[in-house]
Amino acid sequence: MIKAAITGTGLYTPPQSISNDELVACYNAYVEKKNAERAEAIAAGSAEALQPSSSEFIVKASGIKARYVVDKSGVLDVDIMRPRIATRGNDEPSLLAEMGVSAARQALERAGRTAADIDFVIAACSNMPRPYPALAVEIQNLLGIQGYAYDMNVACASAAFGIQAAVDAVRLGNARAALVVNPEVCSGHLNWRNRDCHFIFGDAATAVVVEPLDGAVSQDKFEVLGTRLQTQFSSNIRNNFGFLNECEITPRPWDDVLFRQEGRKVFKEVVPMVSDLLGAHLASLGIEPADVRRFFLHQANLNMNELIARKVLGRDPSVEEAPVILDEYANTSSAGSVIAFHKHHADLAPGDVAVLCAFGAGYSAGSVVMKRV
Ligand code: COA
């Protein structure tokens, strides 16, 4: 069997960032406006007053301090509260494709590869710009890659699922090299008017090159020792946006086609699912958790990541062992664990073992165990 390696990663970060204070100021202006509009009903007890958000709560509950977005002005306009994105024609690249291409070019450069070396592209992310043609085929075309491409949506766990598909293709000789791209405009499916979750998402794109270890020219390579995936159905993180929305006899409320979650339940149910998966995966490879130098965990909630790492290690993780990027990026869905890897792997030495672990809606979870070469 051919040994597969991750030989390059790339990251696209949108230029605009929103701090918690800026976000909360907008949300609270919305609350004041709505409460004023419904003052009579609130006074009569037939409507409930909306409660303000707070930066202190956000940091304490999630660890998030800021998020990058593709359009700050729309999100922070109290009359809009969503990104405003220019409509593009069919002959123009989609926004997600452009972001993905930017991350992909960096990953290729870092791997010392060009488009001519790749023959498999996967767009693995939470939301596609349209059902078809596939985003991955669009990215393939923009990069000038031959071969094949397809989309894969396993929500926040998409990166791990995409890497497994790429590793399998390389190991079996079905692809000389593969590119996994994770473009996310989470700001487009977040309900910025929902106090429970208005702070949790941000936008970014990542990319990963997977190729045979033998012959890889990158100085920065990680042999993939194993991958493991798991899914378990739950509606606790759900988005009902879909192609049948317009056909449904009873129209859905506007906020039913955006992201929603039961955050507490997700926290409680996903932590054991992920820590069990990681423990079992490492055991199957004969690796002690204590021998893992770094965990690149999905970046949704700091408390959740600390708890997962604590369950796996049997003690609190250090910041070096479980690096954090969600303070700056918030939850960027499929891109989060790859951003952590991209930004925090340079100091790992040959022989160091690291784990990339992504998890989210579905529920879905995946781990990629790798060794620096
Ligand atoms: N500002 C101030 N207070 C807020 C608030 C806000 N923006 N949002 C909620 N609150 C209040 C609630 O009303 C509640 O008040 P109460 O105790 O008086 O009823 C209290 O804060 C706790 O709310 P809760 O929703 O239970 O908070 P939490 O500690 O569970 O944190 C999340 C919320 C979303 C940060 C957290 O549940 C989470 O991250 N879960 C995991 C989600 C996840 O990983 N999802 C994956 C997505 S891919």
Side-chain angles (χ1 to χ4, degrees), residues 308-352:
I308 289 169
R310 200 178 302 144
K311 276 181 182 280
V312 174
L313 288 168
R315 58 171 170 76
D316 285 334
S318 67
V319 183
E320 286 75 30
E321 284 171 317
V324 178
I325 60 95
L326 62 80
D327 52 346
E328 178 186 350
Y329 280 81
N331 181 350
T332 52
S333 194
S334 65
S337 56
V338 185
I339 300 175
F341 177 49
H342 178 82
K343 285 185 169 268
H344 295 283
H345 74 258
D347 61 320
L348 294 180
D352 280 350

Side-chain angles (χ1 to χ4, degrees), residues 53-54 57 61 156 195-196 237 261 263-264 266 300-301 304 331:
S53 182
S54 89
F57 170 84
C156 294
R195 177 175 176 256
D196 291 343
I237 315 171
Q261 71 171 354
R264 272 282 151 98
V266 174
N301 182 302
M304 199 169 173
N331 181 350

Side-chain angles (χ1 to χ4, degrees), residues 96 123-131 134-136 151-154 158 241:
L96 283 165
C125 56
S126 281
N127 288 280
M128 303 300 163
R130 55 182 180 263
L135 172 62
D151 290 349
M152 174 191 280
N153 176 352
V154 202
S158 296
F241 179 81

